[in-house]
């Protein structure tokens, strides 16, 4: 890998972009899916506040999914075909979940009051369905779509762990964005979701090397192991800090943002670890980025667009978060 | 269960896009209508007017939010379906379709989604100008998204600016690809379609409020606005449609032959008002025709020659659907023109007072609430079915690029989508009805009007 021409570099840039979009998606839609799932434990008034806390953002959050899948489709059409036909049914169910929750989100306050509870249930169910399906898809994906008794169990475990991670992310989001009794509840929810999330993370990190020889070699050869060990160590410290913070009084005011921020860091690190495992494959042990990439010419055209628009997108996303900063107040169209 | 995968994939794609387009066709124009209501509110001098436009703005913002949400969730589905249903398509024309789709996401979807929150919920948190700016950017984003997706769709109808190496398409000139021959016509026609769809929604719902006795002077203003919009746009749409047709004649004569039901190449071709095209017998039954009119419209010459379907053996679209969808679209267009002009004339004769409008006319308005949907969908079916059997006109056949997913999976997911979509469509219409009937009870809570007008006042029910 001494000197790589720009054309050879392009697929790498694009896998990076796609990964970043999916990471932003997982973190941002993760907290709002998490909030959606937690609503089954909230009172009707609390539900309004919870929805209000994600109301201005969910649409933009989902757009990262459209970008991620769009880049997969556009830059790696062969991988897209392979991945999405392997995951055809869970993808459909995830979409149904996203449809239901996106629709219920708006219907719940606009339909007649007697139907609100029904739309809330659909909102919760849609959030759960989408999260579970995403967990299953992640599990199938990182195990390289392998066959055999252990693979479905692995995917099933991730299908439960990812929603827990989302719930934890959502709960810490609420710790940051709310106060009073709802904040207390959110702290409780965070404590409940913490162990399964940690367990899931341990499971993924130990199972991936076990399943794929490529991954095992990458992690457990000598010089590398010292460098990459920093990832699990930092992750562990961040997770422990989150747990400690949840017991401290500071999390109710000055440090209310910290657990959420640390979890974002955890997601980022896990993403880095996963990327390190998989590189240079798009589909583990089957397709490398270069085999799957489309022509450099069209990738360049897209890259220009990305370079121009991405900073602008980041800027106005930041603007929107600034406008709605602070504790959540009631949402209205006023 | 024994239908083939290609057929199911088509039905599934068609079902999804049909559901999806319902919402963009409203939101593309409604964003601008909201901007208009807001400006009217800010500019209005007297208090009653100010309140009327504010109420209109509030009610229609809710409609917009609901419509937009359904547009987004069905759109997210579309973005997956592109690859799952037509994997071969992306493998062959990905170099052209890819950048167009990416630019849509980057320049349109993010723009809409990024400012939607501020537009819907940001009123108390940002200044009036920033808020207007956000509304403008959302409306502009919907237009941009129509721009890119229609550029792609038009390219599939009239491909240009490409080269083929080993069966793979490569871009030669992006300008030619984007501004391909049918694109300007399709963009104009679609944007006008959206304007009409939105105008009739405004008309229909306001008329419903009048009929139910829940209307305020706000509903009258919206109704009047809708009528004026529709009366202006309906004729423009006919002119645009005519140009669109001439363009199609030049590039896709077999589509025109199917639209007009012409089997044999004819000079002085008649315009068929009614017929039952029979694909098997390759002829029409029960024809009712106006002599020479089709030639006159399409060639501007009563003796002009139109190519018949028999000139395109095994490469022309199924005739029946194209023929009838075209008539439904044009019929709706004519009906919309008549209704809007008649309504406006009647309203003028009544001294601009809807209280004097006869109830049957209001019922007619209410009945036309979703007229735009019918015409828009019919129009898309003409365009898309009229391109068959090709997915990229003349170059790639649809059946060559279809999915390898087993047909049982497609059938299952198709069934799920259809059930979800029908339920949501029913809910959407039901909630529009409910919101229109209760708009004012809810709006009693409206109190302050933006301080930029120099005054704040209470707007409780007494203004109604
Ligand atoms: C002429 C207009 C038009 C047409 C033909 C299409 N769309 Fe669309 N689409 C829009 C106009 C639009 C819009 C007005 O921009 C929407 C509707 C409401 C909204 O939120 O944006 C939208 C939303 C929307 C979204 C959600 C964007 C977001 O997250 O904000 C996606 C992913 C798509 N569309 C994808 C598609 C695909 C793959 C199509 C064709 C195969 C398609 N659309 C046809
Ligand atoms: C939004 C309005 C649209 C509607 C209502 C619509 C409707 C349809 C219908 C009915 C079909 C099935 C035709 C058949 O096989 O009988 C179809 C096919 C298709 N359309 Fe569209 N379409 C729309 C927009 C688009 C756009 C914007 C694109 C591309 C960017 C597109 C791409 C396709 C593709 C790839 C197929 C599949 C191949 C085929 O079966 O023809 N459509 N569409
Ligand atoms: C009344 C006169 C009208 C004429 C002469 C007309 C003509 C046409 C033609 C020739 C096409 C097919 C173009 C092609 O695929 O090559 C078309 C498509 C279409 N029409 Fe119309 N049309 C009329 C009214 C309307 C109305 C009232 C609406 C909706 C409100 C509408 C919406 C559409 C749409 C959405 C399409 C598909 C997209 C496109 O190709 O632009 N049309 N129209």
């Amino acid at each position: 890998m001494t000197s790589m021409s720009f054309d050879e570099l392009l697929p790498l840039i694009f896998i990076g972009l796609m990964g970043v979009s999916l990471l932003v998606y997982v973190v941002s839609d993760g907290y709002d899916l998490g909030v959606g799932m937690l609503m089954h434990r909230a009172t009707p008034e609390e539900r309004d506040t919870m929805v209000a806390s994600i109301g201005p953002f969910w649409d933009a959050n989902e757009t990262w999914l459209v970008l991620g899948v769009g880049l997969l489709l556009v830059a790696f059409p062969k991988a897209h075909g392979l991945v999405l036909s392997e995951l055809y049914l869970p993808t459909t169910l995830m979409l149904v979940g996203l449809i239901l929750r996106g629709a219920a989100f708006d219907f719940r306050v606009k339909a007649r009051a007697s139907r609100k509870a029904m739309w809330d249930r659909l909102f919760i169910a849609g959030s759960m369905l989408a999260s579970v399906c995403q967990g299953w898809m992640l599990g199938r994906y990182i195990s390289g779509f392998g066959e055999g008794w252990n693979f479905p169990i692995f995917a099933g475990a991730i299908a439960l762990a990812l929603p827990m991670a989302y719930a934890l992310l959502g709960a810490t989001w609420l710790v940051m964005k709310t106060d009073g009794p709802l904040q207390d509840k959110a702290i409780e929810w965070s404590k409940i979701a913490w162990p399964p999330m940690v367990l899931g993370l341990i499971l993924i990190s130990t199972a991936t090397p076990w399943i794929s020889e490529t991954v095992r070699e990458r992690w457990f050869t000598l010089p590398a192991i010292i460098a990459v060990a920093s990832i699990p160590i930092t992750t562990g410290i961040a997770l422990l800090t989150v747990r400690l913070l949840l017991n401290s009084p500071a999390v109710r005011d000055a440090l209310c943002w910290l657990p959420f921020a640390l979890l974002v860091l955890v997601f980022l690190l896990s993403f880095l670890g996963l990327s390190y495992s998989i590189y240079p494959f798009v589909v583990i042990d089957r397709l490398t980025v270069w085999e799957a990439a489309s022509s450099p010419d069209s990738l360049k055209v897209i890259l220009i667009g990305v370079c121009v628009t991405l900073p602008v997108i980041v800027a106005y996303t930041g603007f929107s978060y600034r406008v709605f900063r602070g504790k959540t107040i009631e949402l209205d169209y006023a | 269960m024994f239908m083939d995968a290609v057929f199911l994939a088509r039905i599934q794609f068609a079902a999804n896009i049909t559901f999806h387009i319902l919402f963009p066709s409203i939101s593309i124009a409604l964003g601008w209508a909201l901007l208009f209501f807001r400006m009217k509110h800010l500019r209005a001098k007297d208090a009653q007017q100010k309140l009327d436009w504010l109420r209109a703005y509030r009610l229609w913002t809710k409609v917009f939010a609901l419509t937009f949400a359904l547009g987004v969730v069905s759109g997210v589905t579309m973005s997956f379906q592109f690859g799952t249903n037509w994997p071969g398509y992306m493998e062959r024309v990905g170099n052209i379709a890819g950048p167009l789709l990416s630019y849509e996401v980057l320049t349109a979807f993010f723009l809409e989604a990024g400012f939607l929150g501020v537009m819907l919920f940001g009123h108390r948190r940002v200044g009036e100008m920033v808020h207007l700016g956000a509304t403008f950017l959302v409306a502009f984003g919907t237009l941009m998204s129509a721009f890119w997706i229609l550029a792609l769709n038009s390219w599939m109808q009239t491909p240009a600016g490409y080269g083929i190496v080993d069966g793979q398409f490569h871009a030669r000139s992006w300008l030619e690809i984007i501004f391909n021959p049918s694109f300007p016509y399709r963009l104009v026609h679609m944007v006008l379609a959206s304007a009409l769809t939105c105008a009739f929604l405004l008309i229909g719902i306001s008329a419903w409020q009048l009929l139910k006795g829940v209307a305020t002077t706000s509903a009258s203003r919206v109704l009047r606005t809708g009528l004026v919009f529709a009366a202006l746009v309906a004729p423009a749409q006919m002119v645009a449609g005519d140009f669109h047709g001439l363009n199609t004649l030049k590039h896709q004569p077999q589509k025109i032959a199917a639209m007009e039901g012409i089997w044999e190449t004819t000079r002085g071709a008649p315009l068929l008002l009614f017929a039952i095209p029979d694909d098997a017998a390759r002829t029409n039954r029960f024809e009712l025709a106006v002599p020479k009119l089709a030639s006159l419209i399409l060639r501007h010459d009563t003796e002009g020659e139109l190519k018949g379907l028999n000139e395109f053996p095994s490469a022309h679209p199924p005739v029946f659907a194209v023929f009838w969808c075209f008539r439904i679209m044009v019929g709706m267009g004519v009906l919309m023109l008549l209704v809007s002009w008649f309504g406006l004339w009647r309203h003028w004769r009544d001294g601009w007072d809807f209280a004097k409008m006869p109830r049957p006319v209001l019922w007619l308005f209410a009945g036309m609430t979703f007229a735009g949907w019918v015409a828009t969908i019919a129009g898309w079916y003409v365009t898309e079915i009229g391109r068959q059997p090709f997915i990229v006109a003349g170059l790639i056949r649809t059946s060559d690029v279809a999915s390898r997913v087993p047909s049982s999976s497609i059938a299952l997911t198709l069934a799920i989508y259809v059930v979800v979509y029908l339920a949501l469509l029913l809910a959407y219409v039901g909630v529009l009805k409910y919101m229109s009937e209760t708009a004012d009870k809810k709006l009693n809570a409206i109190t302050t009007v933006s301080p930029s007008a120099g005054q704040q006042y209470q707007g409780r029910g007494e203004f109604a």
Side-chain angles (χ1 to χ4, degrees):
Chain A
M1 217 199 280
T2 40
S3 71
M4 209 183 255
S5 73
F6 186 63
D7 283 3
E8 283 170 317
L9 201 63
L10 267 175
L12 284 186
I13 298 178
F14 271 82
I15 196 85
L17 285 172
M18 189 189 98
V20 169
S21 315
L22 289 177
L23 174 68
V24 177
Y25 170 73
V26 165
V27 169
S28 65
D29 217 28
Y31 77 71
D32 73 47
L33 284 165
V35 170
M37 287 186 283
L38 291 170
M39 270 170 57
H40 79 285
R41 299 191 170 217
T43 65
E45 297 74 47
E46 289 168 349
R47 288 178 177 181
D48 289 343
T49 314
M50 291 167 76
V51 169
S53 78
I54 56 178
F57 310 116
W58 73 272
D59 181 7
N61 297 349
E62 263 180 30
T63 308
W64 291 98
L65 177 64
V66 177
L67 181 63
V69 171
L71 287 176
L72 176 64
L73 177 67
V74 166
F76 307 100
K78 289 193 194 96
H80 182 277
L82 188 65
V83 172
L84 287 188
S85 41
E86 289 279 355
L87 298 174
Y88 188 74
L89 286 178
T91 307
T92 307
L93 291 179
M94 173 194 77
L95 290 170
V96 169
L98 291 179
I99 293 172
L100 286 181
R101 79 189 281 278
F105 180 91
D106 257 274
F107 276 119
R108 67 188 287 283
V109 280
K110 299 188 179 68
R112 59 188 75 236
S114 58
R115 299 266 167 76
K116 191 168 173 182
M118 175 194 86
W119 287 114
D120 276 349
R121 274 197 290 277
L122 280 174
F123 187 76
I124 297 164
S127 306
M128 290 180 173
L129 183 61
S131 311
V132 170
C133 290
Q134 287 177 7
W136 176 269
M137 289 156 74
L138 178 67
R140 293 296 294 148
Y141 173 74
I142 57 183
S143 58
F145 307 111
E147 305 289 342
W149 63 271
N150 46 352
F151 288 95
I153 294 183
F154 177 69
I158 310 265
L160 296 179
L162 188 70
M164 279 301 162
Y166 284 174
L168 181 55
L169 200 58
T172 54
W173 168 263
L174 290 172
V175 172
M176 176 169 75
K177 298 294 282 184
T178 63
D179 44 21
L182 181 54
Q183 193 187 36
D184 295 340
K185 268 197 181 173
I187 293 173
E188 282 313 306
W189 294 331
S190 310
K191 289 180 185 163
I192 299 173
W194 191 87
M197 140 118 195
V198 172
L199 213 68
L201 207 55
I202 295 174
L203 183 71
I204 295 189
S205 353
T206 46
T208 335
W210 173 50
I211 279 172
S212 162
E213 182 148 358
T214 327
V215 179
R216 190 164 34 204
E217 272 172 21
R218 170 96 19 94
W219 280 87
F220 299 112
T221 43
L222 206 55
I225 195 167
I226 298 168
V228 295
S230 62
I231 294 183
I233 293 172
T234 323
T235 310
I237 295 175
L239 282 169
L240 281 176
T241 318
V242 169
R243 189 62 189 82
L244 290 175
L245 272 171
L246 290 174
N247 283 339
S248 91
V251 82
R252 272 166 232 273
D253 34 56
L255 293 183
C256 65
W257 54 275
L258 193 51
F260 181 75
L262 285 171
L263 278 174
V264 173
L265 178 70
V266 168
F267 273 81
L268 174 69
L269 290 168
S270 318
F271 167 79
L272 288 178
L274 203 60
S275 319
Y276 177 73
S277 308
I278 296 174
Y279 174 88
F281 291 102
V282 188
V283 180
I284 292 191
D285 293 346
R286 282 213 232 170
L287 261 184
T288 67
V289 283
W290 295 283
E291 287 162 357
S294 45
S295 106
D297 294 338
S298 68
L299 291 186
K300 279 178 203 155
V301 176
I302 302 173
L303 191 60
I304 297 173
V306 171
C307 291
V308 175
T309 54
L310 211 55
V312 184
I313 293 171
V314 170
Y316 61 64
T317 307
F319 167 73
S320 167
Y321 275 86
R322 241 184 77 81
V323 168
F324 295 98
R325 70 185 175 277
K327 300 290 178 191
T328 304
I329 55 168
E330 188 199 350
L331 274 196
D332 58 22
Y333 294 113
Chain B
M1 275 301 108
F2 298 104
M3 288 183 273
D4 66 17
V6 181
F7 181 75
L8 286 167
R10 279 181 162 177
I11 300 293
Q12 188 183 66
F13 194 85
N16 270 297
I17 190 91
T18 304
F19 183 71
H20 177 58
I21 194 63
L22 296 177
F23 304 104
S25 69
I26 292 174
S27 53
I28 292 171
L30 188 53
W32 298 99
L34 286 178
L35 209 54
F36 176 78
F37 292 166
R38 190 80 206 168
M39 299 295 254
K40 283 295 230 183
H41 159 69
L42 291 175
R43 294 257 177 83
K45 291 279 179 300
D46 86 272
Q48 177 62 54
Q49 266 194 29
K50 230 178 167 50
L51 184 68
D52 282 350
W53 288 115
L54 183 64
R55 288 192 154 155
Y57 178 81
R58 293 275 163 85
L59 171 64
W60 289 95
T61 299
K62 286 193 192 171
V63 175
F64 184 83
L66 189 63
T67 309
F68 205 94
L70 288 169
V72 170
V73 293
S74 56
V76 172
T77 313
M78 290 303 311
S79 66
F80 279 82
Q81 218 124 85
F82 228 88
T84 49
N85 290 35
W86 316 110
Y89 173 77
M90 264 337 228
E91 280 166 25
R92 294 185 62 186
V93 300
N95 291 331
I96 286 166
L100 295 177
L101 287 172
S102 327
Y103 274 78
E104 181 179 19
V105 180
L106 292 169
T107 63
F109 292 161
F110 272 112
L111 197 64
E112 297 162 11
F115 286 99
L116 184 72
V118 179
M119 168 188 174
L120 293 181
F121 309 118
H123 242 295
R124 300 238 183 91
R125 295 168 176 252
V126 297
E128 186 65 46
M129 283 319 287
V130 177
H131 187 264
L132 279 179
T135 311
F136 168 80
L137 287 172
V138 172
F140 179 73
T142 57
L143 263 191
M144 284 306 284
S145 103
F147 177 94
W148 292 112
I149 196 81
L150 291 177
L152 173 55
N153 185 267
S154 300
W155 183 84
M156 292 162 67
Q157 306 280 348
T158 51
Y162 63 91
I164 305 180
V165 185
D166 300 333
Q168 280 247 359
F169 283 65
H170 289 267
R172 280 250 172 78
S173 153
W174 281 103
L175 271 184
E176 278 177 46
I177 290 173
I178 296 173
F179 297 98
N180 62 76
S182 65
F183 174 64
Y185 300 92
R186 192 162 279 111
L187 182 65
V188 169
H189 199 54
M190 179 64 215
V191 170
L192 292 179
S194 172
L196 269 179
T197 307
C198 174
F200 272 88
L201 193 74
L202 297 177
I203 295 175
I205 288 188
S206 311
W208 182 254
Q209 291 179 307
L210 286 162
L211 281 168
K212 288 282 147 180
V214 294
T216 60
T217 44
S218 172
S220 304
R221 284 187 202 282
V222 174
L223 180 49
R224 197 173 306 130
T225 311
L227 280 175
V228 173
F229 262 158
L232 293 175
V233 176
Q237 180 70 321
M238 287 190 167
V239 175
D242 183 42
F243 277 102
H244 200 350
L246 295 180
N247 182 262
T248 308
L249 180 63
K250 198 157 142 209
H251 298 279
Q252 295 175 292
Q254 69 281 31
K255 190 190 269 184
I256 293 288
M259 277 151 56
E260 300 297 347
I262 302 171
W263 294 92
E264 286 299 334
T265 300
T266 337
R267 299 192 150 274
L271 184 78
L272 300 178
L273 296 178
F274 185 94
I276 302 205
D278 183 337
D279 282 34
R282 305 194 69 78
T283 179
N284 300 324
R285 283 184 274 138
F286 311 110
E287 278 187 13
L288 177 66
V290 184
K292 303 196 188 296
L293 193 54
S295 283
L296 183 65
I297 292 176
L298 288 160
R299 291 283 185 210
H300 296 268
D301 168 9
T302 49
E303 286 309 320
E305 183 182 273
L306 291 180
K307 283 218 167 91
L309 291 158
N310 291 338
E311 305 242 347
F312 309 94
S314 81
H316 70 73
V319 184
F320 185 88
V322 175
F323 180 89
W324 274 106
C325 286
F326 185 64
R327 268 147 198 75
I328 292 174
M329 171 183 67
V330 175
M332 289 312 288
V334 173
L335 191 63
M336 287 167 153
L337 181 87
L338 293 179
V339 168
S340 58
W341 283 17
F342 170 75
L344 216 51
W345 169 77
R346 206 36 247 219
H347 189 40
W348 164 74
R349 250 200 33 190
D350 292 342
W352 305 110
D353 179 4
F354 282 110
K356 298 198 190 117
M357 185 70 84
R359 287 180 74 82
V361 182
L362 290 178
W363 274 107
L364 176 68
F365 289 163
M368 298 279 288
T369 308
F370 298 109
W373 277 1
V374 178
T376 301
I377 289 178
W380 273 107
Y381 284 6
V382 175
T383 297
E384 300 290 312
I385 300 176
R387 187 190 58 212
Q388 303 304 318
F390 297 98
I391 189 164
V392 177
L395 297 170
I396 305 180
R397 288 194 182 242
T398 311
S399 51
D400 293 343
V401 300
S403 166
R404 292 166 284 247
V405 173
S407 54
S408 55
S409 302
I410 307 182
L412 175 68
T413 55
L414 173 62
I416 298 176
Y417 281 128
V418 169
V419 170
V420 171
Y421 286 163
L422 284 180
L424 286 180
L425 195 57
L426 273 178
Y428 178 79
V429 174
V431 168
L432 281 192
K433 177 169 168 294
Y434 174 74
M435 282 202 295
S436 68
E437 286 165 6
T438 53
D440 282 296
K441 276 187 229 132
K442 295 248 170 90
L443 292 185
N444 279 346
I446 292 186
T447 47
T448 49
V449 174
S450 74
S452 55
Q455 68 192 117
Q456 294 207 352
Y457 52 86
Q458 301 288 106
R460 299 212 177 274
E462 65 265 23
F463 283 108

